[in-house]
Amino acid sequence: MRGTRIDQNQWPFPSRQPFEGRYMSLALLSEAHVSDLWIHAATAPTSFDYLRYGPFADKSVLTALVKDLSNRADQPFWAVLDVNGRACGWLSICDVSQEDGAFEIGSIWFAPCLQGTRAAREAIFVLLQYGMDDLGYERLVWRCQTQNEASFKAAVNLGFTHEGTWRNAAVVKGWQRDVAWFSILKSEWPAKRDAFEA
């Protein structure tokens, strides 16, 4: 078996652009969002347990991180804005493979007030839709530490298929952890999109 023939050898890199939804909007992450983000980050240190950064000793440390994230050439970041225009989290498109037609939605941090809400689901859906419908990608990826039960459950609830687990694949803040991999394929997307929209 040779696999599936693909008559495309390059996919467009995701562009840095804002997105509007019903329950939230995505703006390009910038230092202008730090004041809003600090309000949430300062009171929720455990929300950073599974990320390589945070919690933050003070606002200046968060500012430095946001400046770094917002200037990454190969990883566009967006701030999630609530209906009042206040930033309450961020997420990114990362590990873009233009030759394979795949990218990951990752480096997600949502404040507790955003977690599990329609706005949170829509923020992820908007980028999924952008990747599949606008850019024509073949594969979208979700990855999380298996000990991060909330992220694992979110992947399943969002319609991703669990592909397997890499054992002892990451060391985060002194803890060695397994990493679970999930995906949505282009052929699966129409049904997944319909479920999201419903």
Side-chain angles (χ1 to χ4, degrees), residues 36-185:
D36 288 342
L37 294 168
W38 175 245
I39 292 170
H40 302 291
T43 57
T46 60
S47 64
F48 294 93
D49 283 352
Y50 296 101
L51 293 170
R52 293 187 182 276
Y53 43 73
F56 310 99
D58 55 49
K59 188 176 177 180
S60 67
V61 182
L62 175 61
T63 301
L65 174 72
V66 169
K67 184 176 181 179
D68 169 48
L69 299 182
S70 62
N71 285 290
R72 292 187 178 181
D74 59 350
Q75 186 178 3
F77 271 84
W78 288 267
V80 183
L81 309 183
D82 64 20
V83 292
N84 297 309
R86 293 188 292 260
C88 49
W90 64 68
L91 74 171
S92 77
I93 290 176
C94 55
D95 291 337
V96 179
S97 176
Q98 293 179 260
E99 293 76 22
D100 297 319
F103 71 61
E104 177 183 348
I105 296 178
S107 293
I108 299 170
W109 178 72
F110 289 166
C113 65
L114 180 60
Q115 295 171 15
T117 65
R118 286 182 174 180
R121 289 177 63 85
E122 187 178 42
I124 294 164
F125 172 69
V126 162
L127 293 187
L128 293 174
Q129 189 173 42
Y130 176 54
M132 286 296 191
D133 294 337
D134 297 343
L135 302 181
Y137 272 63
E138 295 287 329
R139 168 181 166 85
L140 300 181
V141 176
W142 183 283
R143 162 176 53 148
C144 69
Q145 296 154 52
T146 55
Q147 292 80 0
N148 186 350
E149 294 179 8
S151 186
F152 196 106
K153 290 178 181 177
V156 173
N157 291 337
L158 290 164
F160 284 83
T161 296
H162 181 214
E163 297 180 326
T165 299
W166 290 6
R167 298 177 300 163
N168 290 354
V171 177
V172 179
K173 297 174 180 173
W175 294 94
Q176 188 174 59
R177 294 180 174 142
D178 303 334
V179 174
W181 288 80
F182 303 82
S183 68
I184 294 176
L185 304 183

